[in-house]
Amino acid sequence: MKRTFFFLLTCCLGGLLTSCEVNDGGGNMQPVPADPQKLAVADSVQHFNISPSAAAEADRLQFRGNHNDMQATGYYVAPNSSITLHVNFKSGSTSARLAIGTPFRDNIRPVRQYFDLQQGSHTFTVDQYGGLVYVIYTTNNYSDTGQLELSFGEGFIPVPYFQKGKTTPQQWMNTLDSLKNNVPDVMLVSDHTIMVANMDEALLYKDENQQLIVERLDSIIKFSNFISGLNGNSGVNALPKNKHLITVRDSASGGYMAAGIAIYYTESLSYRMLQPRYLANTNGWGIWHEVGHTYQQKAWTWGGLTETTVNVYSLACERGFGLPVSRITTNNAWPKLDAYFLKPIAERNYNSGDNDLKLIMFHQLGLAFGDNLYIQLSRTTRENRPVLSTDEEKMRYFMLSASTIVQKDLSDFFRKWGFKVNESVYTELANLQLPAPDQDLTMLRD
């Protein structure tokens, strides 16, 4: 009997795609809904492309610090367990490592456990901590290429693994229910982020729209990329190559923090990370701010501005999500400016202000000249790679760069704000022979 239908096996083993395809017998491919009983877990065979190291990315982008260069696998390994893995370097570089443990999440461990990967099959013994599994397959040379195939064998335990645009709500719920007693954590992966949450909180918020969560996480990165002047896939201004790692941590550790290899939020803040509405309203400021730390450029973040220039990116997220007024207005910070400007100019010192006050200066420049100022400042910094060490050198760089970009002499603005630099810097600004702004920028409010 002639068969009128046959299936093409285009679905992933873990059932992560939203649909398969079927031939209708006439050569036409029709979508078939994914099986809701399939679990949202990672494939047992995965491919990883080589990516720039965190240090290489920080150098290209002229950032103040490194960020993540680990790639998620969707697997967990138990403490003191034995794991088997087959490694196949399909092309290019053959230098890679397996990393066990999530930064900040596993804060009881002194350091993550690493296994060097070589061609062939291997058995490794996990330390007394265990944890989520990542791949580090990086290069410091952007011209290097490579692809790695890993086949995960015994000892690798799948975690609930939500993938943007692939995992369905029903699959997610089924997976949480099926694996809730097997692993402590879940992972949600988007185009630009890897988020780790604990199982208890994932179960508590399982009815939320996880697709919207990962979309909004990507939007946070998109807004930060935009104000940084990053776009495209090649060149010094290309988008960051590695994903942001955002992970839960125990509640005793405070609130949010960005440091080195990852961003963390504490368990008490899981409600903001696992309910999409909080990622896009005023409660999202915490994660916007921490992502902003990963974008700060060293050339114009002088001493005392670590918690100031970061909010250039937070404000970009605020605007991107359509909030009607700035956090400066919401926090009623404008009176600080009024009080500060009651002092004679000679007594004003910008660097002595608190973070709310110092942010107003950056915000006023944004109100006057729009996003293009920070877009061009970021691009110019990457392209010219200035070598600056002292605070005065960085202040001079910012003052001259901002004036050049907007084609206005900003001397009066900086003097009123109390920029205490050598008078030669103001002479350099005058020598640019630019016109003064049409208005007093220190009077701008939103």
Side-chain angles (χ1 to χ4, degrees), residues 4 74 145:
T4 56
T145 60

Side-chain angles (χ1 to χ4, degrees), residues 80-99:
N80 303 309
S81 62
S82 179
I83 56 176
T84 61
L85 181 72
H86 184 77
V87 180
N88 180 18
F89 288 99
K90 298 179 72 69
S91 64
S93 174
T94 58
S95 177
R97 292 190 295 171
L98 206 67

Side-chain angles (χ1 to χ4, degrees), residues 224-275:
S224 299
N225 286 336
F226 170 76
I227 200 68
S228 299
L230 295 166
N231 53 53
N233 296 314
S234 62
V236 71
N237 293 310
L239 294 169
K241 307 296 184 183
N242 299 317
K243 295 186 179 184
H244 280 70
L245 177 58
I246 305 168
T247 181
V248 69
R249 188 172 180 176
D250 60 282
S251 292
S253 300
Y256 302 92
M257 186 174 181
I261 199 169
I263 294 167
Y264 75 71
Y265 63 95
T266 54
E267 292 173 338
S268 61
L269 294 170
S270 291
Y271 77 95
R272 293 185 182 179
M273 301 301 296
L274 297 176
Q275 296 183 90

Side-chain angles (χ1 to χ4, degrees), residues 365-420:
L365 288 175
L367 291 174
F369 303 111
D371 292 334
N372 187 63
L373 168 57
Y374 295 113
I375 290 171
Q376 293 304 319
L377 176 61
S378 301
R379 293 175 70 92
T380 297
T381 299
R382 284 190 293 274
E383 291 162 1
N384 294 336
R385 301 174 61 84
V387 179
L388 310 170
S389 55
T390 69
D391 285 354
E392 178 151 327
E393 287 174 340
K394 294 180 180 182
M395 292 178 72
R396 172 185 174 276
Y397 175 76
F398 176 75
M399 295 166 72
L400 290 169
S401 296
S403 295
T404 301
I405 290 167
V406 303
Q407 287 294 286
K408 298 291 182 182
D409 183 345
L410 299 178
S411 297
D412 181 65
F413 177 76
F414 291 132
R415 286 190 188 277
K416 287 181 176 178
W417 264 104
F419 271 48
K420 303 295 188 185

